[in-house]
């Protein structure tokens, strides 16, 4: 049996899906251009990090499109009910069609769906028996991609070394001076960076939202290091 493409005519669902695709496209272009590729060129990250990001991004949009276009479990107009299973079927009081128990009528799609969970405007489709697994994949890869993006943003501002901006008017003496300054400057440990951000050296408190952040006193030799 071939896969049936399910298309829902719903302007609200189109807007929601369009917003999701815009955010995905923006992040897929913006994050590698601003964070991944520059830090890779300067040797701060491995090429594996770039492949992992595109891998998560690809699987995220693929699961979105598949969950949106997959048939959630729409019942045919004249279903053939085996005699041995008639007791497990009931009449829908909205479309006056026979349906298996645990099926529900979706007012937006206009038909009954087997084991319907809910109608999701973000995929412009119902979540039912035949596409529930795709919806769970979408939730999983969206969470992975979002977490990966947040980690990259955090590392870009607080963990990675600052990106070097090439200045063509810089003299040779100034380049040597800046080079010596970078070598002599002490490198801040990652624990120190996180402690300053969260306001405490107690790592267990980094995960507690029910507290007030207090400014952490920074040693003098790290005071001007970002």
């Amino acid at each position: 049996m071939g896969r049936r493409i399910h298309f829902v005519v719903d302007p609200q669902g189109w807007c929601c899906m369009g917003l999701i695709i815009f955010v995905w496209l923006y992040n897929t272009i913006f994050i590698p251009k601003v964070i991944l590729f520059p830090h890779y060129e300067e040797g701060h990250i491995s090429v594996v990090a770039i492949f992992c990001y595109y891998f998560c991004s690809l699987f995220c949009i693929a699961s979105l499109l598949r969950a949106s276009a997959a048939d959630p479990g729409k019942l045919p107009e004249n279903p053939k009910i085996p005699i041995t299973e008639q007791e497990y079927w009931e009449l829908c009081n909205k479309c006056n069609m026979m349906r298996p128990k645990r099926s529900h009528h979706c007012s937006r799609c206009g038909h009954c769906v087997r084991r319907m969970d809910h109608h999701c405007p973000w995929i412009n489709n119902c979540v039912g028996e035949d596409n529930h697994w795709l919806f769970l994949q979408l939730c999983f890869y969206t969470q992975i991609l979002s977490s990966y993006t947040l980690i990259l943003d955090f590392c870009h501002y607080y963990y990675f070394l600052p990106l070097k901006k090439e200045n063509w008017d810089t003299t040779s003496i100034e380049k040597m001076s800046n080079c010596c300054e970078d070598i002599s400057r002490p490198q801040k440990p990652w624990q120190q960076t996180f402690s300053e951000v969260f306001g405490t050296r107690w790592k267990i408190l980094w995960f507690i939202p029910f507290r007030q952040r207090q400014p952490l006193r920074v040693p003098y030799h790290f005071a001007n290091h970002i």
Side-chain angles (χ1 to χ4, degrees):
M1 182 176 180
R3 297 188 182 95
R4 293 183 298 176
I5 297 178
H6 187 70
F7 183 77
V8 180
V9 181
D10 183 8
Q12 179 184 356
W14 294 344
C15 292
C16 292
M17 268 204 69
L19 179 61
I20 292 296
I21 294 176
F22 171 78
V23 172
W24 171 83
L25 188 62
Y26 178 81
N27 283 317
T28 302
I29 297 175
F30 180 78
I31 295 298
K33 182 178 180 180
V34 174
I35 299 179
L36 289 174
F37 290 129
H39 284 287
Y40 169 72
E41 291 175 357
E42 297 192 6
H44 300 162
I45 62 174
S46 170
V47 69
V48 177
I50 300 178
F51 280 117
C52 288
Y53 188 84
Y54 279 116
F55 175 85
C56 294
S57 181
L58 175 63
F59 274 61
C60 183
I61 192 65
S63 58
L64 171 64
L65 296 178
R66 285 209 60 193
S68 175
D71 182 6
K74 178 182 177 181
L75 291 171
E77 295 183 0
N78 296 312
K80 297 181 180 180
I81 308 174
I83 299 178
T84 56
E85 298 181 5
Q86 289 183 353
E87 59 179 320
Y88 302 107
W89 287 64
E90 60 186 8
L91 181 67
C92 175
N93 56 6
K94 294 183 179 179
C95 60
N96 295 321
M97 292 179 56
M98 295 299 295
R99 65 185 186 186
K101 292 183 178 180
R102 299 184 64 188
S103 301
H104 296 280
H105 185 89
C106 177
S107 57
R108 284 198 172 272
C109 295
H111 55 74
C112 291
V113 177
R114 297 191 308 272
R115 296 187 181 182
M116 176 180 170
D117 187 82
H118 68 287
H119 182 91
C120 179
W122 300 108
I123 65 172
N124 192 32
N125 199 358
C126 285
V127 178
E129 183 179 44
D130 291 345
N131 71 339
H132 204 158
W133 65 282
L134 292 170
F135 180 77
L136 293 178
Q137 281 189 357
L138 172 62
C139 294
F140 173 76
Y141 286 114
T142 301
Q143 184 66 34
I144 294 296
L145 184 61
S146 301
S147 301
Y148 196 4
T149 302
L150 289 175
I151 292 173
L152 288 174
D153 289 339
F154 184 88
C155 292
H156 175 66
Y157 288 106
Y158 297 106
Y159 182 70
F160 292 147
L161 294 176
L163 293 173
K164 299 176 182 178
K165 297 182 180 179
E166 189 69 21
N167 187 351
W168 298 106
D169 296 329
T170 304
T171 64
S172 299
I173 296 177
E174 290 172 339
K175 290 181 179 179
M176 291 296 297
S177 176
N178 293 335
C179 179
C180 295
E181 182 182 351
D182 292 338
I183 294 175
S184 61
R185 182 185 303 158
Q187 300 297 322
K188 184 188 298 184
W190 68 269
Q191 296 93 334
Q192 178 70 24
T193 302
F194 276 79
S195 298
E196 293 176 18
V197 173
F198 289 100
T200 178
R201 291 186 174 86
W202 292 89
K203 295 181 178 60
I204 187 63
L205 296 181
W206 295 353
F207 303 92
I208 306 300
F210 308 103
R211 65 180 181 86
Q212 293 292 331
R213 179 186 178 277
Q214 299 296 333
L216 190 67
R217 296 189 61 182
V218 183
Y220 177 77
H221 56 279
F222 285 141
N224 296 324
H225 183 82
I226 298 178

